[in-house]
Amino acid sequence: MPDTTDTPPVSMARMTDSRLIKSSMIPSEGNVDGFAVAEVNGRLLVVCVSSDDVWTWDPLRDEWVERPLADFDYASYGIPVYPDFHHIDVTVADGRAVFAAGGQHQGPGLWDVMSGELLNAPPEFRSCVHALALTSVGGRTTLVAGAAAPEVWVWDPSDPEVEAWGPTDDEYAEKQEPGELPGHSDDMSGLVVGRLRGRHVVVSGGDTEVLLSDLESEELLHKWSANGLVHAVALSEVGGRPVVLAVTDSGEMRIWDAVGGEPVGHFPTGHTERVSALAADVVGARTLAVTGSDDGTARVWDLAEGRQIGAPLAGHEGEVWNVAIAPLDGRHVVLTAGRGGIVRVWDPSV
């Protein structure tokens, strides 16, 4: 367990900002290239990737554990395949923390992050994952990942009808062919899966467009122009109204009604460099959004009022690539991480 009290401060903001609950350095001493959060056995678990090494962090105990993951059999592919954990997500299925990862040199694979067991190897002859998300549909773990078009894969070891999508020792197995959702003219830059009026939906961003698709029917529900290159997307609700959010290279946040499709609003985020991370959630009576930027700050927003809450969350050494809103010890907190390898936990209500 790292002793963060001896970590030298990176800015005065870290020492003086009353919203900062906790900060902790990943033991790899590298960057936090990506993270995902899940509740495992009643506790918040943060799964972090640093140069394709996987770590978990328990914020309440401030405990880091390296999680070596089982290799897949590279020789069975017949082509060069390399572990590439650039895009990740985590969900809980049957009590186990299922970790998904992929990147430009590896298609999507599944592991049990706590034991390191390989659950489903990356598919053959598919690579270039530019966005990825996990969910559960009808009790089956469903992975959505791809480059320009989101592909849909299903993993359910209890169902013999659902075959593996990666190489398998069973020479008679029929490999799973993924479903495909409406795609973009260029590579995706953001992907989230959520619920909309009882249906599972996928929000994807690519080029200057944002798409909302029905996960099960594969039907395109809405297509919007973001008036700028899309860097990240989110799905939430404001006052009970489902909304889709996107941040663009113009520094704007744009919001649309997820049901009717009409624009709800847009406003400048105030970041001075690219906004590459976005998260949103309903917290009490408010809908909060968090943006993370290459300018080294994160910002918290009240979406109903379209205003920033407090000053920027500062103190990171460089780019903020990862943000999340999650419950921790009876309250919702904001988590941020990126260059410099420090994960920070903030109280958004202060």
Side-chain angles (χ1 to χ4, degrees):
M1 181 188 304
D3 183 0
T4 57
T5 59
D6 294 333
T7 303
V10 295
S11 78
M12 289 300 294
R14 176 177 172 185
M15 295 188 294
T16 61
D17 196 327
S18 62
R19 295 168 296 177
L20 183 61
I21 299 171
K22 180 175 295 188
S23 62
S24 191
M25 173 79 75
I26 191 168
S28 68
E29 298 183 356
N31 302 319
V32 177
D33 300 317
F35 75 25
V37 299
E39 186 175 296
V40 180
N41 297 324
R43 300 177 70 91
L44 181 66
L45 188 73
V46 184
V47 182
C48 298
V49 170
S50 179
S51 300
D52 297 331
D53 292 326
V54 179
W55 295 79
T56 58
W57 180 49
D58 182 330
L60 287 179
R61 297 176 177 149
D62 194 15
E63 181 179 43
W64 288 92
V65 179
E66 187 172 10
R67 303 291 181 177
L69 302 184
D71 288 335
F72 43 87
D73 182 4
Y74 312 105
S76 65
Y77 290 82
I79 56 174
V81 179
Y82 310 98
D84 188 349
F85 296 168
H86 189 70
H87 300 284
I88 68 169
D89 202 0
V90 63
T91 191
V92 176
D94 294 328
R96 66 201 314 183
V98 178
F99 171 78
Q104 294 195 22
H105 305 289
Q106 176 207 302
L110 289 179
W111 287 261
D112 182 322
V113 75
M114 306 301 273
S115 69
E117 177 189 356
L118 178 66
L119 303 176
N120 209 319
E124 296 178 273
F125 311 117
R126 281 186 169 90
S127 59
C128 293
V129 171
H130 286 263
L132 178 151
L134 275 175
T135 191
S136 178
V137 179
R140 292 176 168 182
T141 299
T142 302
L143 186 152
V144 184
E151 294 183 325
V152 181
W153 309 84
V154 175
W155 178 75
D156 184 355
S158 67
D159 187 346
E161 298 298 321
V162 178
E163 302 291 350
W165 61 74
T168 173
D169 293 333
D170 184 354
E171 60 180 310
Y172 302 105
E174 296 182 10
K175 292 183 178 63
Q176 183 183 159
E177 286 298 321
E180 187 171 297
L181 299 176
H184 301 266
S185 59
D186 204 347
D187 291 330
M188 289 187 293
S189 52
L191 180 69
V192 295
V193 180
R195 301 274 287 182
L196 178 62
R197 295 191 169 178
R199 300 288 294 175
H200 288 87
V201 294
V202 175
V203 179
S204 58
D207 253 352
T208 61
E209 296 176 341
V210 176
L211 306 183
L212 176 66
S213 304
D214 186 293
L215 178 57
E216 295 172 73
S217 71
E218 302 179 3
E219 174 189 3
L220 177 64
L221 303 177
H222 292 293
K223 180 178 180 178
W224 298 286
S225 171
N227 296 325
L229 291 175
V230 177
H231 292 312
V233 295
L235 176 68
S236 190
E237 62 178 56
V238 177
R241 181 188 199 182
V243 293
V244 169
L245 299 81
V247 286
T248 70
D249 63 346
S250 67
E252 280 193 323
M253 183 184 298
R254 306 190 74 88
I255 309 171
W256 299 273
D257 186 297
V259 177
E262 63 271 15
V264 173
H266 61 92
F267 54 87
T269 62
H271 289 288
T272 58
E273 296 185 38
R274 182 183 66 161
V275 181
S276 56
L278 173 65
D281 202 357
V282 178
V283 179
R286 297 193 297 183
T287 300
L288 301 184
V290 182
T291 52
S293 170
D294 289 357
D295 66 11
T297 70
R299 297 176 185 237
V300 182
W301 305 89
D302 184 314
L303 286 187
E305 298 182 5
R307 67 174 181 85
Q308 183 175 316
I309 301 173
L313 306 178
H316 284 282
E317 292 182 357
E319 298 94 319
V320 177
W321 295 320
N322 312 281
V323 298
I325 303 172
L328 176 67
D329 201 21
R331 59 176 169 174
H332 277 77
V333 297
V334 167
L335 297 100
T336 61
R339 189 178 297 280
I342 296 177
V343 182
R344 288 187 165 83
V345 182
W346 309 84
D347 183 349
S349 66
V350 176

